[in-house]
Amino acid sequence: MKNALLLLLALLGALTADALEIKDVRWGFDGRVVPDRFAILSVLVENPTAQPFDGQMILEQTQGIGGTAGAPIVQPIYVAPGSARYVQFQPYISDQNTGWHLRWGRDQRDVDAPTSAGPARVFLADPESTLAAAVRMKIFPDDLFPTTVGATDGLAAVVLDHVPRWEVARREAFIDWLHRGGVVHLLRGANGTLPEFTAELAPLNGTADRSRIGAGAVFRHTIARADITEPFLDEHGSPARDLRNGKQINLYAFDQTLLQKLASLTKPRIAWWLVYLLTASYLVVVGPAHFLTGRRMNYRLSILAFLGIVAAYAASFAWAGRRGADETQRVHSISIAHSLGGTRYDVIQWISAFVTHGDLYKLTHAAPSNLYSVGTSDPVHGQILNGRDGILAVDLPLYSSRPFIHRGVMQGDDTSVTVEKWETDSAGTLTALTLRHGPAFPQPIDEMVLKCVDQFFTMIVTGDRFTLRAPEPADTFFANVSQEIPSPWMTTQEGDQAAWLRKSIKTLIARDLGGAERMPHEIPPPALAPDEALLYILTRAPAGFHLRGGDFASENGTVLYVQKITKPEP
């Protein structure tokens, strides 16, 4: 009787261990997300039971009635008895999103699809402080700031009046976001002075009204927190970047189109003449030839001969197929990499991995934190573990490709340059520019474009120096954004990835800047001052960007580096 009672209590404990309650669900930084980017979904879960929850919470995108899309995102969690904590996911948000739902243990809950918008401007508040009630703009708890810059595309600017109690990963992500182009507005705290930062956040310290940090900026104000509003930010370095619908759209589904083109680079070149010859001979041998010879043989030998013929042809067909695939596993990738200083880059990649044998592959990259998406609305047999040491685990059949999207901070080439000449006319328009690169600059350079204010210049490469061609205004530069990214088969040399990407560099730049009028969505990029410019460099991807895991023989990678440059002080 005692043993039965103990067994019953154990079963009841197992049933209640899954009884988590969801108290809050919030998308992005202000309840909205930027489309075609990685976003954050913060979920507050509470464990009201006397048993700890030690398991997984799974986020899936729903499609149709009871269907799912893509691959589920898995997040291991532990919630102590009687406690609550936030669980954060980093899904990729695309136009095909309909809805989402969460699963844990035997329970689940639907999550509404997010609203699309431009990047947010928020007040970064201490969740334990009571002073946030005086704030007149949207508030975001600082303890929910992501642990990787890859999840911060939905954030344009923050207002900060204290030193957040962050671990190293969040401090690094915040500074990376600032280097990437974020804007920080510092206010005086309750003691009447600006916050004093240490460790990774030390670059925020200073006394000037404005200072540059990488591609970002820090503004320091003397007004009270109750006086700072979004109209104030509009007038002080952080204008709203609202999401706009494109005009005369002729480029839809950028991600899917690019992934399809990458996959087409690794289609097996089957020797069809050999396959047809084997097929014809097989029909002859197992048909009339075996019938005629089998009549003069012992029936046992006839059966053995038939089985031997079938086995031999099966091996021959398999050999012919492997020969067509060159019996190698290979990867094609395209990356856009923003400099974070030195040789560190915030990288987004579109990748296609081709395999010659079926297996469960665990794909990863050499980044402290990896974010993945399979980039499709079709169900995929696998799962995604985003975050620290993140992986994409996916079941791939033999001779198949798996396109996917990756985001992470990785080591690349040194794309820094020295400005030797910077001349402008009386209106402040750039008229002459000479840049010189160092010995570690990536080679070969396939294409180079400079953006200054609203003009684009194709650069002339002469030795270790770059100069300007005639400028193009933005509307002219993006006027030829094609209906789709050109097919790689349009090139004279099959598989010459860089050659067909030269035809698409304007499309890649448009995507990096937040879209163009010929894309479904357009978000105005951060404004460049007359003494600032963006340098786009199309070249081969370094080994630090390559895919890890899966025993791939080679990776054909192309990267579009983005390096911000400024006019030297006189």
Side-chain angles (χ1 to χ4, degrees):
M1 182 67 180
K2 182 179 179 180
N3 291 337
L5 181 59
L6 291 175
L7 178 60
L8 178 60
L9 291 174
L11 291 173
L12 290 174
L15 290 173
T16 58
D18 292 339
L20 296 180
E21 296 181 3
I22 295 181
K23 297 297 184 179
D24 182 36
V25 176
R26 58 174 70 192
W27 282 103
F29 295 88
D30 64 350
R32 302 174 297 176
V33 299
V34 176
D36 299 320
R37 301 292 192 276
F38 284 98
I40 56 172
L41 174 65
S42 304
V43 182
L44 179 61
V45 295
E46 182 181 84
N47 181 5
T49 71
Q51 300 293 327
F53 179 90
D54 188 2
Q56 295 178 336
M57 182 167 279
I58 300 172
L59 177 67
E60 293 178 311
Q61 182 185 342
T62 59
Q63 180 175 257
I65 301 176
T68 60
I73 303 174
V74 178
Q75 183 76 318
I77 63 170
Y78 178 87
V79 187
S83 65
R85 57 160 294 190
Y86 271 100
V87 180
Q88 200 165 73
F89 296 89
Q90 301 88 13
Y92 190 84
I93 307 298
S94 63
D95 287 339
Q96 288 73 33
N97 290 333
T98 52
W100 299 79
H101 74 256
L102 293 162
R103 291 193 292 112
W104 64 97
R106 289 170 292 275
D107 294 330
Q108 64 179 15
R109 170 177 164 169
D110 290 334
V111 177
D112 292 336
T115 301
S116 296
R121 300 172 298 172
V122 298
F123 191 100
L124 207 58
D126 182 348
E128 297 181 3
S129 173
T130 59
L131 300 176
V135 175
R136 297 165 57 194
M137 58 182 296
K138 292 180 179 178
I139 294 175
F140 185 77
D142 63 18
D143 60 341
L144 295 184
F145 195 87
T147 56
T148 172
V149 66
T152 62
D153 282 349
L155 184 63
V158 301
V159 180
L160 187 62
D161 67 352
H162 67 285
V163 179
R165 295 184 296 273
W166 283 336
E167 69 275 27
V168 174
R170 294 187 202 275
R171 296 197 300 265
E172 290 180 345
F174 187 83
I175 291 299
D176 285 343
W177 165 78
L178 185 56
H179 271 280
R180 177 71 166 74
V183 180
V184 177
H185 295 268
L186 290 178
L187 303 182
R188 299 180 186 276
N191 59 0
T193 62
L194 291 173
E196 288 290 332
F197 300 94
T198 59
E200 290 82 5
L201 299 181
L204 295 172
N205 294 323
T207 57
D209 292 341
R210 179 183 185 272
S211 58
R212 288 182 177 133
I213 298 181
V218 178
F219 293 87
R220 298 171 182 88
H221 307 287
T222 58
I223 66 171
R225 71 170 67 196
D227 296 327
I228 194 162
T229 61
E230 291 189 354
F232 178 88
L233 297 183
D234 289 337
E235 299 172 1
H236 293 80
S238 294
R241 295 167 55 198
D242 295 327
L243 180 69
R244 302 193 294 247
N245 292 326
K247 300 176 182 178
Q248 300 178 335
I249 302 171
N250 63 7
L251 178 60
Y252 293 91
F254 172 90
D255 296 321
Q256 288 75 18
T257 301
L258 187 54
L259 290 174
Q260 289 170 4
K261 297 304 179 185
L262 284 172
S264 70
L265 286 168
T266 47
K267 285 184 176 178
R269 297 183 295 274
I270 303 298
W272 291 110
W273 65 270
L274 181 58
V275 174
Y276 294 147
L277 179 62
L278 287 172
T279 302
S281 63
Y282 175 76
L283 294 176
V284 172
V285 171
V286 301
H290 181 263
F291 174 75
L292 294 175
T293 56
R295 296 175 61 184
R296 297 189 294 270
M297 299 171 58
N298 181 278
Y299 79 94
R300 293 185 179 88
L301 292 177
S302 177
I303 293 174
L304 290 175
F306 177 80
L307 294 176
I309 291 170
V310 171
Y313 270 95
S316 299
F317 279 114
W319 175 82
R322 286 195 297 271
R323 292 279 297 189
D326 291 335
E327 301 183 33
T328 59
Q329 303 199 153
R330 57 187 67 176
V331 179
H332 289 271
S333 66
I334 296 171
S335 309
I336 298 177
H338 279 257
S339 175
L340 298 176
T343 58
R344 295 178 69 247
Y345 293 86
D346 174 20
V347 186
I348 182 168
Q349 300 180 287
W350 294 265
I351 302 170
S352 176
F354 175 79
V355 300
T356 57
H357 62 273
D359 201 351
L360 176 63
Y361 289 85
K362 295 182 178 180
L363 308 178
T364 189
H365 287 80
S369 182
N370 291 309
L371 304 181
Y372 290 100
S373 170
V374 293
T376 179
S377 58
D378 298 324
V380 173
H381 187 201
Q383 65 180 22
I384 296 169
L385 286 85
N386 282 334
R388 183 178 178 181
D389 300 324
I391 65 170
L392 169 62
V394 60
D395 188 7
L396 297 180
L398 75 167
Y399 304 125
S400 67
S401 295
R402 174 70 268 161
F404 61 96
I405 301 171
H406 168 249
R407 183 79 177 265
V409 175
M410 296 185 286
Q411 294 289 330
D413 299 301
D414 183 0
T415 57
S416 59
V417 294
T418 302
V419 179
E420 293 188 340
K421 179 193 291 186
W422 186 305
E423 295 180 357
T424 57
D425 59 19
S426 57
T429 303
L430 184 64
T431 57
L433 179 72
T434 301
L435 305 175
R436 178 171 53 85
H437 68 73
F441 200 81
Q443 297 290 340
I445 301 169
D446 296 312
E447 200 77 24
M448 186 177 297
V449 172
L450 182 97
K451 179 183 187 294
C452 186
V453 190
D454 290 326
Q455 290 188 313
F456 292 84
F457 303 82
T458 301
M459 304 296 288
I460 302 172
V461 181
T462 306
D464 64 348
R465 284 170 170 78
F466 315 132
T467 53
L468 301 178
R469 293 186 189 272
E472 288 185 77
D475 54 351
T476 303
F477 184 80
F478 291 126
N480 295 322
V481 170
S482 58
Q483 185 173 359
E484 66 173 7
I485 295 171
S487 170
W489 307 123
M490 293 173 60
T491 61
T492 56
Q493 184 178 359
E494 182 179 343
D496 187 356
Q497 183 170 303
W500 66 268
L501 278 177
R502 290 191 197 102
K503 303 176 185 293
S504 302
I505 186 170
K506 294 182 179 181
T507 307
L508 293 175
I509 293 174
R511 198 277 182 191
D512 177 67
L513 291 174
E517 288 190 349
R518 297 181 182 273
M519 293 182 171
H521 303 297
E522 180 183 9
I523 300 172
L528 291 174
D531 62 347
E532 298 176 331
L534 291 178
L535 184 63
Y536 288 93
I537 307 147
L538 188 69
T539 184
R540 294 176 183 172
F545 289 6
H546 287 184
L547 180 65
R548 303 287 182 91
D551 191 27
F552 292 98
S554 63
E555 178 164 340
N556 185 8
T558 302
V559 58
L560 183 68
Y561 282 117
V562 188
Q563 178 76 43
K564 190 170 186 179
I565 60 175
T566 57
K567 182 179 179 179
E569 295 292 335

